[in-house]
């Protein structure tokens, strides 16, 4: 008896549970659970006509069978039809499959066509069915599914829902007409019951049914962004008057003139802060464009009016650097800048908390430590996030919540005041993303580098030529320049990464006697890191061997060479960030990307992009094209918010239309808007709210 109970608790999830895992609960959820792709089982293709990468159905006869032991035990069957032959490989198999693939058997096989070893093409674990059976008369939809839920079971549930629910249209006829859209019912039926003669349009998603679905999805997203904007417009922030004195004092004591672009964005930010709504602005500027000083101007405006400013950076190294720089600029104006990080001692931290709570600290620079519960600001007016894409959604939420708490005392008409928020990033947002996921954000762009800089020259060097690279950096050091040497990224193992950095340091020290070489890696304490970083900044070190800890924001203008080993392992955004560490002074700088063969297709394209352009926008566009929005957005978005059907690149026109339609519906037909969002986003709407 005891036995059966324990079995029961471990029982498999029910069908309903498995469906719910896919978010399929209400009938309408099923209706909009649309096929990921279609398989064409309506035809038998001649083997000779198949191309690598396509999904195909063939019929052929087994002419040879082998059980192979190496490199892995597997069953191989050579299958032939009148046009050609291909190899079938089963990497694990049952005895009855040996029988199934016996020489002389004629079979129908379905699967992805891959490049083969012994034959030009092969199929690995194809689906097997009886040769000569009737062919499908429609395309076969393949749905996104989950473990333990078969395609037929899922399809059955979906088709049932299509019968059960009324497929009313959320869009009025006038709107459908204006944007040339199919009726909703018509569209979903076409997608779930795909007719064979429309196969091409369905497969490549150009079918009008797909257009309707993509439009609906984009519209829902735009509507929900419009709602978020409207909610934000109701929020209150302290209106902070433009600076009367501090800003011009700061301007006069800077060792350089602001660029026109910097002046323009400083004015945009200042105007935002003078309004009684919280600023929600992204300051975008390529690496080295001078965002930090812009942040300083925003800070003095708030400080002059008696508010505190928090500046948060994603790494301790970067936060420390900001602290030093801002302290240097602002202390002479009589502003108290304090520093808060996880590595302070308890006593130091208590002291820092107190100064923040009492309001003595005017500008507080730090890491995530800033959003710890113990930190209570007296009068927080402005929050600045540097390299904002590095922070998770929750961290940013925490900071605004904290800010809301600390400003509550200022609330005069019973409404909470929120601080203004300035996000800074060197990673530009491609246009399509700006129109979708980020459309609730105001953007300021620094589109100009400080004068006297020449673009970094990028060289691709194969790893065998390491010696030449060493000679070159030696010559540069003798000419008084400094060098970064970035060690290979080893994502699988932090320990291995550390090991590699230490080994590289040893090798460099031996190969380049007489040069002053430092080592920087993520396992060092921040005090240790600071010592190394300071010596590099003060030119007491010639070469800094480092892991990617130096990726964001580090600013040492005298460094002119950036060497990246195994650059093929890095992402495009990361390479661009690393390259941005040089080219910050007047001297010509170089980025040397060492790579090792063989290069994957993607790695090749990344390196080519780095070689061909130094323009951060161009890099971002290419990065988006290579990785797709999901990865591009990274931590910022939770998976559910991503578009399932529309494609940001191909459907740019539809995005425009959906945007126009959304503002019309939102203004004129709010009930239509609400219903449409409910159908498409359902519970996901909650997420968009945050
Ligand atoms: P990023 O935009 O990458 O954060 P930084 O703010 O670190 O760039 O600025 C890069 C370097 O350029 C810093 O040394 C900074 O002091 C300097 N800088 C900023 N603005 C100017 C300017 N207008 N003219 C000359 N140098 C500038
Ligand atoms: Mg920066």
């Amino acid at each position: 008896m005891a036995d059966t109970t324990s079995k029961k608790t471990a029982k498999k999830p029910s069908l309903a549970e498995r469906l719910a895992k896919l978010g399929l609960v209400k009938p309408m959820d099923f209706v909009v659970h649309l096929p990921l792709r279609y398989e064409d089982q309506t035809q038998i293709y001649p083997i000779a006509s198949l191309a690598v990468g396509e999904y195909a159905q063939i019929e052929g006869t087994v002419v040879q069978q082998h059980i192979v032991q190496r490199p892995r035990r597997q069953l191989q069957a050579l299958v032939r039809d009148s046009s050609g032959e291909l190899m079938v490989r089963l990497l694990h198999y049952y005895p009855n499959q040996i029988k199934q693939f016996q020489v002389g058997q004629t079979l129908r096989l379905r699967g992805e066509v891959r490049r083969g070893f012994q034959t030009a093409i092969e199929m690995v674990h194809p689906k097997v069915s009886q040769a000569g059976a009737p062919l499908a008369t429609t395309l076969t939809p393949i749905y996104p599914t989950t473990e333990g839920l078969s395609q037929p079971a899922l399809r059955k549930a979906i088709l049932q829902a299509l019968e059960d629910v009324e497929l009313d249209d959320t869009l009025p006829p006038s709107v459908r007409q204006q944007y040339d859209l199919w009726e909703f019912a018509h569209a979903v039926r076409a997608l779930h019951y795909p007719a064979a003669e429309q196969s091409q349009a369905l497969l490549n998603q150009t079918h009008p049914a797909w257009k309707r679905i993509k439009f609906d999805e984009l519209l829902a997203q735009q509507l929900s962004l419009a709602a978020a904007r409207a909610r934000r417009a109701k929020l209150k922030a302290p209106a902070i008057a433009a600076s009367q004195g501090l800003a011009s004092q700061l301007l006069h004591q800077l060792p350089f003139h602001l660029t026109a672009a910097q002046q323009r964005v400083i004015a945009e930010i200042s105007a935002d802060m003078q309004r009684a709504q919280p600023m929600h602005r992204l300051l975008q500027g390529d690496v080295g464009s001078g965002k930090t000083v812009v942040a300083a101007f925003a800070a003095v405006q708030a400080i002059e009016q008696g508010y505190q400013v928090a500046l948060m950076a994603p790494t301790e190294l970067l936060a420390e650097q900001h602290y030093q720089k801002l302290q240097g600029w602002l202390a002479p104006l009589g502003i108290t800048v304090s520093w808060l990080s996880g590595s302070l001692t308890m006593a130091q931290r208590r002291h820092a908390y107190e100064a923040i709570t009492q309001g003595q600290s005017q500008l507080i620079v730090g890491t995530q430590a800033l959003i710890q519960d113990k930190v209570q600001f007296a009068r927080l007016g402005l929050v600045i996030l540097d390299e904002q894409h590095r922070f998770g959604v929750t961290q940013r939420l925490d900071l605004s919540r904290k800010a809301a708490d600390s400003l509550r005392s200022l609330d005069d008409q019973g409404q909470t005041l929120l601080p203004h928020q300035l996000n800074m990033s060197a990673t530009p947002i491609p246009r399509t993303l700006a129109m979708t996921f980020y459309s609730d954000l105001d953007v300021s762009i620094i589109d100009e580098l400080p004068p006297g800089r020449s673009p970094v020259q990028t060289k691709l060097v194969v790893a065998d030529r390491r010696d030449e690279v060493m000679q070159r950096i030696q010559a540069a050091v003798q000419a008084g320049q400094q060098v970064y040497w970035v060690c290979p990224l080893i994502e699988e193992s932090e320990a291995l990464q550390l090991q590699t950095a230490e080994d590289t340091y040893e090798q460099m020290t031996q190969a380049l006697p007489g040069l002053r070489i430092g080592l920087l890696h993520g396992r060092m304490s921040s005090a240790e890191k600071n010592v190394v970083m300071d010596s590099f900044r003060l030119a007491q070190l010639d070469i800094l061997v480092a892991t990617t800890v130096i990726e964001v924001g580090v600013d040492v203008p005298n460094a002119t060479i950036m060497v990246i080993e195994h650059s093929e392992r890095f992402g495009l955004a990361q390479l661009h960030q690393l390259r941005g560490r040089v080219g910050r002074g007047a001297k010509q700088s170089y980025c040397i990307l060492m790579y090792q063969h063989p290069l994957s297709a993607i790695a090749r394209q990344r390196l080519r992009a780095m070689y061909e352009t130094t323009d951060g926008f161009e890099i971002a566009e290419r990065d988006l094209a290579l990785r797709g929005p999901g990865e591009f957005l990274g931590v910022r978005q939770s998976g559910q918010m991503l578009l399932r059907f529309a494609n940001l690149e191909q459907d740019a026109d539809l995005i425009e239309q959906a945007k126009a339609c959304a503002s019309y519906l939102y203004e004129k037909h709010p009930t239509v808007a609400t219903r449409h969002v409910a159908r498409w986003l359902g519970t996901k709407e909650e997420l968009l709210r945050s």
Side-chain angles (χ1 to χ4, degrees):
M1 265 327 262
D3 228 343
T4 39
T5 14
S6 73
K7 259 186 201 142
K8 243 186 198 144
T9 47
K11 83 173 176 19
K12 281 204 203 148
S14 71
L15 179 62
E17 282 166 342
R18 275 172 279 164
L19 290 168
K21 222 170 126 191
L22 287 174
L24 304 180
V25 182
K26 299 187 302 303
M28 196 46 86
D29 300 336
F30 288 82
V31 170
V32 298
H33 192 70
L34 295 168
L36 208 52
R37 59 189 173 86
Y38 295 92
E39 280 177 11
D40 185 355
Q41 301 173 19
T42 64
Q43 305 179 49
I44 303 292
Y45 290 90
I47 290 175
S49 75
L50 303 185
V52 171
E54 70 187 8
Y55 197 94
Q57 177 164 266
I58 62 151
E59 271 184 19
T61 304
V62 179
V63 293
Q64 283 175 27
Q65 185 192 66
H66 303 283
I67 305 281
V68 180
Q69 299 298 339
R70 274 160 205 275
R72 249 175 98 174
R73 191 175 149 82
Q74 55 182 270
L75 174 68
Q76 296 184 343
L78 188 64
V79 174
R80 182 177 291 164
D81 70 5
S82 57
S83 75
E85 57 188 31
L86 60 67
M87 189 64 85
V88 169
R89 293 199 293 127
L90 302 187
L91 300 177
H92 37 82
Y93 55 89
Y94 299 102
N96 65 352
Q97 287 175 304
I98 301 181
K99 226 156 136 197
Q100 191 176 34
F101 281 95
Q102 235 158 29
V103 172
Q105 293 284 3
T106 298
L107 302 166
R108 179 177 295 174
L109 303 174
R110 240 175 329 113
E112 195 193 320
V113 180
R114 301 200 195 173
R115 195 176 305 287
F117 292 104
Q118 297 95 330
T119 49
I121 52 171
E122 64 179 29
M123 281 186 181
V124 179
H125 289 274
K127 297 228 164 58
V128 185
S129 53
Q130 210 187 340
L135 288 165
T137 53
T138 67
L139 294 180
T140 308
I142 306 294
Y143 293 100
T145 187
T146 177
E147 207 187 310
L149 185 59
S150 72
Q151 286 292 332
L154 181 55
R155 195 174 316 153
K156 193 169 154 215
I158 290 171
L159 298 186
Q160 185 62 50
L162 271 175
E163 299 308 315
D164 289 352
V165 70
E166 193 201 336
L167 299 174
D168 57 338
D169 212 307
T170 50
L171 299 183
S174 59
V175 169
R176 294 204 303 268
Q177 201 167 11
Q178 183 179 356
Y179 296 101
D180 189 21
L181 299 171
W182 273 25
E183 262 175 64
F184 177 73
H186 194 173
V188 288
R189 285 221 177 83
L191 295 173
H192 288 297
Y193 294 104
E197 63 277 11
Q198 287 161 341
S199 60
Q200 264 321 308
L202 282 172
L203 288 170
N204 65 25
Q205 298 213 337
T206 54
H207 194 280
W210 276 123
K211 178 182 168 188
R212 168 66 204 253
I213 297 304
K214 291 173 177 187
F215 185 89
D216 273 18
E217 178 179 50
L218 290 166
L219 179 64
Q221 188 198 34
Q222 293 293 340
L223 281 170
S224 130
L225 288 165
R229 255 193 306 275
R231 275 195 297 277
R232 221 187 41 248
K234 292 203 198 105
L235 300 174
K236 293 271 180 240
I240 302 179
S243 163
Q244 299 301 316
L246 285 179
S248 65
Q249 282 181 48
L250 173 58
L251 191 64
H252 285 113
Q253 64 133 59
L254 284 177
F256 48 75
H257 293 290
L258 295 176
T259 62
Q262 283 171 322
Q263 292 173 26
R264 174 171 44 76
V265 302
I266 288 170
E268 284 166 359
I269 292 164
S270 169
D272 275 4
M273 287 168 56
Q274 293 172 46
R275 281 195 279 271
Q277 270 92 46
M279 166 169 72
H280 193 47
R281 186 169 284 277
L282 176 67
L283 172 59
Q284 218 172 274
D286 210 345
V287 282
S289 62
K291 296 184 287 294
T292 317
V293 72
V294 173
F297 278 93
V300 297
Q301 179 169 342
I303 291 166
E304 189 168 311
Q305 300 300 327
Y307 292 98
Q308 287 173 307
V309 178
L311 188 152
M312 196 158 98
T315 68
E316 181 112 20
L317 206 61
L318 189 52
E320 166 88 24
Q321 179 187 287
H322 280 325
Y323 171 65
Q324 289 181 359
K325 185 153 246 175
L326 290 162
Q327 166 97 338
W329 284 334
L330 302 182
L333 309 185
I335 294 174
T336 311
V337 184
S338 7
W339 164 244
L340 193 61
S341 91
S343 61
L344 294 182
T345 65
M346 271 315 270
Q348 287 171 320
R349 207 174 307 181
R350 246 196 314 269
H351 184 76
Y353 289 156
E354 206 171 282
I356 294 171
T357 311
Q358 308 280 317
Q360 286 141 359
S361 300
Q362 293 169 290
L363 171 60
I364 303 97
V365 182
T367 56
Q368 283 90 323
L370 275 182
I371 43 177
Q372 237 119 75
D373 278 337
K374 290 210 194 73
V375 189
Q376 288 302 332
F377 292 89
R379 226 175 157 231
L380 186 59
L382 170 67
V383 172
I384 304 171
L385 288 187
D386 193 21
E387 306 293 347
Q388 62 98 25
H389 59 285
R390 288 302 180 112
F391 290 99
V393 181
T394 42
Q395 286 169 319
R396 277 179 274 165
L397 284 179
D398 274 0
L399 199 61
S400 17
R401 184 179 45 77
K402 168 151 309 262
D405 286 351
S406 85
L407 277 183
R408 196 153 284 157
S409 53
L410 289 182
D411 184 4
D412 40 1
Q413 277 127 40
Q415 218 186 352
T416 307
L417 294 177
L418 289 168
H420 297 284
Q421 185 171 337
L422 176 64
N423 298 329
M424 307 201 290
S425 174
T427 306
I429 303 171
R431 199 181 69 90
T432 44
L433 281 188
M435 283 171 56
T436 51
F437 297 102
Y438 291 87
S439 77
D440 59 332
L441 211 60
D442 298 311
V443 180
S444 288
I445 299 175
I446 308 184
D447 51 5
E448 170 185 16
L449 292 178
R453 301 213 184 143
S454 44
V456 179
Q457 281 190 26
T458 300
K459 314 248 178 221
L460 300 179
V461 178
V462 66
D464 314 343
R465 291 171 48 203
R466 203 169 195 255
D467 288 350
E468 287 169 45
V469 176
M470 299 284 251
Q471 280 165 19
R472 174 157 196 168
I473 62 176
Q474 196 162 20
V477 168
Q478 269 148 15
Q481 299 172 23
Q482 289 172 280
V483 178
Y484 293 104
W485 186 288
V486 176
C487 300
L489 180 69
I490 301 169
E491 279 185 337
E492 307 81 56
S493 156
E494 202 198 330
L496 211 58
Q497 168 124 12
L498 178 65
Q499 182 67 47
T500 315
E502 280 170 348
D503 291 350
T504 310
Y505 172 73
E506 286 302 320
Q507 287 164 17
M508 303 274 291
T509 314
Q510 280 175 14
L512 301 169
L515 299 199
R516 298 162 304 171
I517 304 177
L519 173 63
L520 193 70
H521 60 69
R523 284 283 185 82
M524 293 161 70
S525 74
S526 30
E528 290 168 328
K529 279 190 222 160
N530 285 335
V531 169
V532 176
M533 224 31 240
D534 283 344
S535 342
F536 191 64
R537 214 189 325 269
L538 296 170
Q540 292 158 353
L541 288 173
D542 303 310
I543 301 177
L544 186 61
V545 174
T547 57
T548 49
V549 290
I550 58 150
E551 183 194 332
V552 287
V554 170
D555 182 38
V556 179
N558 192 49
T560 55
I561 298 186
M562 163 65 65
V563 182
I564 305 174
E565 274 197 277
H566 278 289
S567 56
E568 75 278 4
R569 294 186 193 165
F570 291 81
L572 199 42
Q574 214 171 11
L575 289 173
H576 181 64
Q577 271 284 354
L578 284 168
R579 179 168 60 186
R581 298 309 108 218
V582 294
R584 300 183 150 241
K587 290 195 210 103
Q588 176 61 54
S589 292
Y590 299 90
C591 175
I592 300 175
L593 299 177
M594 305 216 316
Y595 65 91
Q596 184 118 53
H597 286 299
L599 288 179
S600 71
I602 269 217
R604 191 180 296 273
Q605 290 188 51
R606 285 197 298 250
L607 294 183
R608 172 172 310 146
M610 287 296 291
Y611 180 73
E612 286 175 354
T613 180
T614 53
D615 176 353
F617 277 88
E618 171 81 27
I619 298 257
E621 294 283 355
R622 294 201 196 186
D623 202 21
L624 178 65
L626 286 175
R627 287 193 295 166
E631 287 217 34
F632 191 92
L633 293 165
V635 289
R636 183 177 194 267
Q637 308 293 340
S638 53
Q640 291 99 316
M641 285 173 67
L642 294 174
L643 298 169
R644 280 182 296 165
F645 308 114
N647 176 311
L648 290 182
E649 259 180 89
Q650 284 152 27
D651 301 319
D653 292 349
L654 270 188
I655 297 175
E656 303 265 11
Q657 294 174 12
K659 205 175 161 82
C661 184
S663 58
Y664 165 75
L665 290 179
Y666 192 77
E667 291 290 319
K668 302 278 191 271
H669 300 282
T671 47
V672 171
T674 312
R675 237 161 59 83
H676 186 81
V677 171
R679 172 169 294 175
W680 283 95
L681 295 175
T683 49
K684 285 165 204 150
E685 167 71 338
E686 287 296 312
L687 271 168
L688 283 167
R689 247 174 241 279
S690 56

